[in-house]
Amino acid sequence: MNPQEHNIPYSPQPMPPVNYWAPPPPAPPPEEAPKKRVYTLTDTVYAWFSMIFAFLFCQAVPVIKHPLGGFLVIIALFITAFTIFRVRKIKLYPVCVLTAISALVISAALILGGSPFLLHLAYTYSLGCYCYFIYAALGNRIETGFSDYIYIDLIKILFILPFHSLAALFSALSSESTKKGSRFMLKFLIGIGIAVFPTIIVLSLLSYDEGFMKILDDIFSIDADQIVHIVLSLIFTLPLSMYGFGLYVSSNEGYLKDTMTPESCQNALKKTKILPQITAVVAVIPILFLYVVFFISQWQYYISGFTGVLPENFSYAEYARQGFFELCAVSVINLLFITAIAFFIKRSDEKKPVILKIITLLFCICTLILICTAVAKLVMYIEYYGLTQKRIYAMWLMLLIGIIFLIIALGQFFSKMKIVALSLTVAITMFAGLCLCNVNALTAQYNTDRYLNGTLSSVDLEVMEELGDSAIPSLVKVAKTLDAQHNPKLKAGIDVMLCDKAIELRDDKFSIFSFSIPSVRAKTAMKDYTPQIPPVGTYGVSSTTHNGDYIDYGHGMYSHILL
């Protein structure tokens, strides 16, 4: 038979025999169901404490009113975390210990004093350190050691891991596997209940002491504002505890640990380098040309800041402020240019091309010149007008930017330098110094000392009033030195402020959680000085401001003025 006649394809190879009696091939294995999370006793206890600490964290806000309370919350958070990891026999990395130390040191600023803005920053930073501590202790960092990938770690901590396990809190509290944890919390609550009756007996025996009862009354007294505060704290307790416990669960499971590795991050960063080198050169040449022309045209104007000679037709305030914010903005733009060069410019190999190093160095040099100029102008301004909180913050920010650009410049010569990690370390160290120095007390002491030694023409009482309790010791020092004939207006103004502060201290309801070192120092200074009532018609005093309000601080009766 001819195969072509019946349209049968011809094959030179013989067809293999078919075994019709062979068993069918095995079926593919079924897809594995997602593993159900199993929570241990430790996890359950940590879930309960997450809710407790979330409530206490909210209760401490605003920390300017509850500085000691906020500091104790941070301490309790880290003690609990250390205990949990000790029970789980988890070995802590050095970076975890350093993170905890930095958080505790910076959170100490809450009781050492400072501006409300700075205290809230310190409180927020300490909470962020706690989140990083949990994340790093459970072994989820992209790269161990001193890593430049820390900014990716922070993105995971803030925006990915907590939301991946956001509802894990409810499972940890209600799962069948957490009966032991529930029993533990039940025993814990029973213990509290048993302690009620002995506590009442001891309280009744010690109630004879008025000072002891006053402290208890201050701690447990509740008014309408506190009730509102408690309600708001309860509202935010659940989302905050879900966020914190979600971070713990995702970190414990190692979510994205095998996906986001140093190699994968490096490959992802390589894909962002899409612009040729000539593009970077052409883009930066006009900007660098403008810098050169600007420096040449303004050389004499800016060099005045280093020589201490004020340019003609300028006051100190005009000279310091003119162009200051523009210089800071240009510095930030330069930093963005350098970042764009690092992320988006193509490279032929792992090493950074020489032309890109030169461009980065030129930007760093231009920025450092601008920063030095702005610092010199601000120093001249401070020499003439004294310190304020904003001037200290501005000086701190410019020094930080200058050091970061110096690190970037050095990184062009030392390829193995961890620029991001080193810059972050410097920023944290400088932030700790800013928090611990008590900016308010430093400002008050600097201004009053310079006034007393004759290098500052006056003391700005509006600035001193903004400094709160931290300024009281310095004001008392000036008031003791002055007499009514030397500078009656300043003397009267200080006495009015001190009288007003005495009334504020008297009317302020004491709470152990509102304790701070500046408030203690203010009360101590007020005991050592008796402010005099200025005559009617002097600074801030009218015929309607006098009253018969007297306060006894242990050194006689103070007669005060209500402003």
Side-chain angles (χ1 to χ4, degrees):
M1 183 179 66
N2 189 356
Q4 295 181 353
E5 294 179 359
H6 299 276
N7 296 325
I8 298 176
Y10 175 73
S11 175
Q13 300 292 336
M15 299 294 290
V18 179
N19 185 3
Y20 295 99
W21 303 100
E31 295 184 1
E32 293 185 4
K35 295 182 179 180
K36 186 177 180 181
R37 286 172 175 161
V38 178
Y39 299 99
T40 63
L41 170 63
T42 306
D43 297 333
T44 303
V45 172
Y46 186 74
W48 282 98
F49 275 108
S50 296
M51 298 185 66
I52 295 172
F53 287 133
F55 174 77
L56 295 177
F57 178 83
C58 295
Q59 278 292 98
V61 177
V63 289
I64 191 63
K65 293 183 178 180
H66 315 97
L68 181 59
F71 182 53
L72 293 177
V73 168
I74 298 299
I75 293 177
L77 281 171
F78 280 98
I79 289 177
T80 303
F82 271 107
T83 305
I84 292 292
F85 294 142
R86 182 66 181 271
V87 171
R88 294 186 55 183
K89 298 181 180 180
I90 294 177
K91 184 179 179 181
L92 297 178
Y93 300 97
V95 67
C96 301
V97 178
L98 292 175
T99 301
I101 292 174
S102 71
L104 295 174
V105 169
I106 291 179
S107 63
L110 299 177
I111 58 174
L112 294 177
S115 66
F117 169 74
L118 200 57
L119 295 186
H120 283 94
L121 276 183
Y123 197 45
T124 305
Y125 169 82
S126 300
L127 182 63
C129 283
Y130 172 74
C131 294
Y132 184 80
F133 176 80
I134 296 295
Y135 168 83
L138 294 171
N140 287 273
R141 287 183 300 155
I142 293 177
E143 186 179 40
T144 58
F146 208 54
S147 173
D148 270 351
Y149 293 123
I150 188 171
Y151 64 95
I152 303 179
D153 285 324
L154 295 178
I155 293 174
K156 287 175 60 180
I157 293 171
L158 295 176
F159 305 110
I160 300 178
L161 298 187
F163 298 100
H164 174 69
S165 306
L166 195 62
L169 178 71
F170 304 106
S171 301
L173 296 177
S174 61
S175 175
E176 289 295 330
S177 60
T178 60
K179 289 183 177 180
K180 292 183 179 179
S182 300
R183 293 194 194 102
F184 173 83
M185 292 307 300
L186 180 61
K187 295 175 183 177
F188 182 81
L189 295 175
I190 292 175
I192 294 178
I194 294 175
V196 169
F197 296 103
T199 302
I200 293 175
I201 296 174
V202 173
L203 178 62
S204 62
L205 294 175
L206 298 179
S207 59
Y208 72 91
D209 187 86
E210 295 182 359
F212 172 73
M213 294 304 297
K214 183 178 184 302
I215 293 176
L216 290 182
D217 183 64
D218 291 332
I219 294 176
F220 296 105
S221 61
I222 299 178
D223 54 21
D225 292 336
Q226 289 177 318
I227 293 176
V228 174
H229 193 196
I230 292 173
V231 172
L232 291 176
S233 299
L234 289 173
I235 293 174
F236 287 100
T237 292
L238 183 59
L240 284 177
S241 57
M242 291 171 61
Y243 183 92
F245 190 73
L247 172 65
Y248 169 80
V249 171
S250 297
S251 300
N252 191 37
E253 294 177 347
Y255 180 64
L256 296 180
K257 181 180 179 180
D258 297 330
T259 304
M260 300 182 72
T261 61
E263 294 75 16
S264 63
C265 292
Q266 191 174 4
N267 293 332
L269 292 176
K270 285 182 179 179
K271 294 179 181 179
T272 63
K273 296 175 171 55
I274 57 177
L275 297 177
Q277 298 178 19
I278 187 63
T279 302
V281 176
V282 174
V284 301
I285 284 179
I287 299 175
L288 295 175
F289 175 76
L290 290 177
Y291 282 153
V292 173
V293 174
F294 178 78
F295 291 145
I296 294 174
S297 64
Q298 300 291 323
W299 178 256
Q300 191 62 37
Y301 170 78
Y302 283 112
I303 201 67
S304 299
F306 298 97
T307 60
V309 179
L310 188 68
E312 296 181 359
N313 302 323
F314 279 96
S315 66
Y316 283 97
E318 292 173 342
Y319 177 67
R321 292 174 181 173
Q322 184 171 1
F324 174 81
F325 295 104
E326 289 79 2
L327 293 177
C328 294
V330 169
S331 301
V332 175
I333 292 174
N334 289 348
L335 184 59
L336 294 177
F337 262 104
I338 292 174
T339 305
I341 290 173
F343 275 92
F344 300 113
I345 302 301
K346 290 181 179 179
R347 304 179 186 182
S348 57
D349 52 18
E350 294 295 330
K351 295 183 179 180
K352 191 174 184 178
V354 176
I355 185 64
L356 297 184
K357 290 184 178 181
I358 294 175
I359 292 174
T360 303
L361 279 174
L362 290 175
F363 269 113
C364 290
I365 292 172
C366 293
T367 305
L368 288 173
I369 294 174
L370 294 174
I371 292 295
C372 291
T373 302
V375 169
K377 293 171 65 175
L378 185 57
V379 168
M380 183 184 293
Y381 190 40
I382 292 172
E383 284 291 325
Y384 191 80
Y385 289 106
L387 278 178
T388 63
Q389 294 175 349
K390 293 181 180 179
R391 291 166 199 166
I392 293 179
Y393 297 153
M395 181 68 74
W396 180 87
L397 180 61
M398 288 187 295
L399 291 177
L400 176 61
I401 293 176
I403 293 175
I404 289 176
F405 273 96
L406 184 61
I407 293 172
I408 294 173
L410 293 176
Q412 309 312 305
F413 300 98
F414 304 98
S415 58
K416 294 185 178 181
M417 179 182 288
K418 303 288 188 179
I419 295 177
V420 177
L422 185 58
S423 299
L424 182 62
T425 303
V426 170
I428 293 174
T429 304
M430 292 184 62
F431 181 63
L434 183 67
C435 291
L436 298 178
C437 73
N438 191 351
V439 171
N440 291 2
L442 178 64
T443 301
Q445 184 176 357
Y446 177 86
N447 292 341
T448 54
D449 287 348
R450 285 194 55 197
Y451 174 76
L452 292 176
N453 62 31
T455 58
L456 196 63
S457 59
S458 64
V459 176
D460 192 336
L461 293 183
E462 292 184 1
V463 172
M464 301 295 283
E465 188 174 5
E466 293 175 356
L467 303 178
D469 293 341
S470 298
I472 298 301
S474 298
L475 286 174
V476 170
K477 180 180 178 181
V478 174
K480 289 180 178 180
T481 306
L482 292 176
D483 53 41
Q485 288 75 28
H486 178 67
N487 194 335
K489 184 176 180 179
L490 180 60
K491 172 72 172 176
I494 292 177
D495 281 342
V496 168
M497 289 181 61
L498 294 178
C499 290
D500 187 55
K501 175 56 65 174
I503 296 176
E504 179 183 335
L505 293 175
R506 181 206 62 181
D507 295 338
D508 186 25
K509 292 183 178 180
F510 173 78
S511 171
I512 189 64
F513 299 112
S514 63
F515 168 85
S516 68
I517 293 178
S519 64
V520 173
R521 295 184 66 222
K523 293 177 182 178
T524 303
M526 292 291 292
K527 292 179 181 180
D528 297 333
Y529 176 71
T530 304
Q532 301 174 2
I533 299 180
V536 175
T538 57
Y539 179 88
V541 182
S542 65
S543 59
T544 60
T545 58
H546 291 276
N547 65 6
D549 203 355
Y550 294 92
I551 303 176
D552 187 0
Y553 273 95
H555 287 267
M557 305 299 288
Y558 290 174
S559 181
H560 294 279
I561 305 165
L562 288 174
L563 300 181

